[in-house]
Amino acid sequence: MKLSFYALIASLSMLTALHAQEATRPLRVGWVEAMANAPALIAKEKGFFAEEGLRVDLRSFGDGPVIQQAVASGEIDVAFIGAPPVYQWAARGLKAKIIAKVNYGQAALIAKADGPISTLSDLKGRRLAGLNRGSGMDVLLRGYVLKEAAGLNPDADVQLSQIPVGNMNGALDTGIVDAAFLWEPFVSQSVLRGAGRVVLDVNQALPGYPWYVIAAPEKTIETRRGDLEKLLRAHAKAIDFLQKQTEEANRIIAQHFNLEAVSAKDGTKVSPEAIVAEARKRIGWSATIGQTDRAFIQRLIGYSVDLGFLDRTINVADIIDDSFASGGSKPQ
């Protein structure tokens, strides 16, 4: 019994030491490197993390599935990520919670400016560029844009190709596809060049729909709650900066994403900052998770089940942690 008691004490001491060691290292923050996720970028560039006394190791990722692997393996502690990967995690047993919203809007369906597609019904029989099957953007395209809004069968009525978003405008320009479902700044670059026209702005069709969120595995919530609260305060400052210091924010975004000036059809040059300003017509930022946000995420879950990407329904309430908002650290 004495040996068991001493073994228990040793185990508890080791666990305490591990938690203490974990709390002293920087918070490892993964973010999908997209313009709509700009608060993560702004918080770092403007020193808002440091102002809150938070050391952050900010790591960029190309998409949600890659971040999902990083979260599952313990490589990162918290993520700026799309809402769909979070409920996909839940369906696969990875316990994580959404603790704040990041943005609303970002996606649009565009077609060649001089092409035959001007309405969603014109997509029937056409070649359409989309993202990887089962990804969040693919769920939005198949479930909402094609099935619900256009009344089309995604597998039978359109020729849907999976193309990296950075190659979509080129595919549209050269006629490889007739339309593309993509996000900012790629939408604005095409529109400002006069090459593409917006057929469906999802943020107009579904005003204020949420996309990127901040999500953390339960382990991080349990062991680094204080750091997450600091993160959310820095996040709130970044959103405030994006909303009030638009010119400087646009410069930071343009520089980070290496945006280049584009030539309009009349030959005039459109600056990188003007591209960001155009993108703001389809993107906004907010940290608060409202009832309409919950309803939309639940709607996405329904699309995923209907499309066969999820084998069971997830209750949106089970993947949102409201305690950060109700515990005095709610972003204003």
Side-chain angles (χ1 to χ4, degrees):
M1 288 180 65
K2 286 184 178 180
L3 287 175
S4 297
F5 175 76
Y6 289 132
L8 177 61
I9 294 298
S11 297
L12 290 174
S13 298
M14 184 179 296
L15 185 61
T16 300
L18 287 173
H19 282 175
Q21 182 181 16
E22 185 170 307
T24 59
R25 63 166 171 74
L27 190 70
R28 299 167 301 175
V29 180
W31 71 301
V32 175
E33 197 167 1
M35 185 178 291
N37 249 340
L41 166 66
I42 295 296
K44 178 183 178 182
E45 292 297 317
K46 296 302 296 181
F48 297 143
F49 292 134
E51 283 182 8
E52 293 299 329
L54 179 64
R55 293 192 302 132
V56 164
D57 176 7
L58 188 62
R59 306 180 186 184
S60 63
F61 292 83
D63 56 42
V66 179
I67 287 191
Q68 178 178 345
Q69 295 171 9
V71 171
S73 66
E75 182 183 338
I76 60 174
D77 303 307
V78 60
F80 285 66
I81 193 170
V86 183
Y87 64 71
Q88 290 167 358
W89 296 347
R92 294 167 186 151
L94 178 59
K95 295 181 179 180
K97 300 283 188 178
I98 295 170
I99 60 175
K101 189 169 72 176
V102 174
N103 84 295
Y104 53 89
Q106 83 154 352
L109 189 142
I110 65 172
K112 293 191 73 170
D114 56 357
I117 299 173
S118 58
T119 66
L120 290 179
S121 60
D122 297 329
L123 289 171
K124 189 169 184 178
R126 300 293 179 177
R127 298 162 298 176
L128 174 60
L131 272 292
N132 292 340
R133 184 179 179 86
S135 66
M137 283 286 285
D138 184 60
V139 170
L140 186 60
L141 172 60
R142 292 173 185 270
Y144 173 68
V145 177
L146 294 177
K147 290 189 72 175
E148 188 171 316
L152 299 174
N153 183 327
D155 296 315
D157 292 335
V158 296
Q159 300 173 45
L160 188 54
S161 301
Q162 298 176 12
I163 298 177
V165 67
N167 298 338
M168 285 189 188
N169 278 335
L172 192 63
D173 292 346
T174 56
I176 293 174
V177 295
D178 303 304
F181 189 59
L182 67 177
W183 62 78
E184 297 295 353
F186 305 104
V187 175
S188 293
Q189 287 170 326
S190 181
V191 170
L192 291 171
R193 286 190 296 110
R197 66 163 170 250
V198 176
V199 177
L200 176 71
D201 176 351
V202 180
N203 198 45
Q204 285 188 358
L206 300 172
Y209 77 94
W211 198 252
Y212 288 114
V213 297
I214 299 178
E218 289 188 347
K219 178 184 176 183
T220 304
I221 294 174
E222 292 170 359
T223 62
R224 311 235 10 204
R225 186 177 185 89
D227 284 341
L228 291 178
E229 291 174 349
K230 293 175 183 178
L231 177 78
L232 294 188
R233 289 195 293 269
H235 178 55
K237 290 180 180 179
I239 290 176
D240 187 66
F241 182 85
L242 281 160
Q243 293 170 343
K244 295 178 180 177
Q245 306 296 327
T246 55
E247 290 187 7
E248 185 180 354
N250 289 356
R251 283 196 299 272
I252 293 171
I253 293 171
Q255 290 171 3
H256 177 84
F257 289 98
N258 298 313
L259 298 184
E260 297 180 354
V262 299
S263 296
K265 276 196 169 183
D266 62 4
T268 59
K269 286 287 186 180
V270 181
S271 71
E273 292 79 11
I275 296 173
V276 181
E278 173 69 22
R280 282 177 177 264
K281 296 178 181 178
R282 284 168 283 275
I283 297 177
W285 293 277
S286 171
T288 304
I289 304 171
Q291 289 303 317
T292 57
D293 300 319
R294 296 167 190 270
F296 178 77
I297 296 171
Q298 192 70 63
R299 190 171 174 179
L300 286 175
I301 292 170
Y303 293 148
S304 293
V305 172
D306 291 343
L307 292 165
F309 299 145
L310 282 185
D311 58 9
R312 64 187 179 91
T313 296
I314 303 294
N315 188 329
V316 68
D318 294 336
I319 59 169
I320 295 177
D321 186 338
D322 291 312
S323 66
F324 288 88
S326 61
S329 60
K330 182 177 179 179
Q332 298 297 316

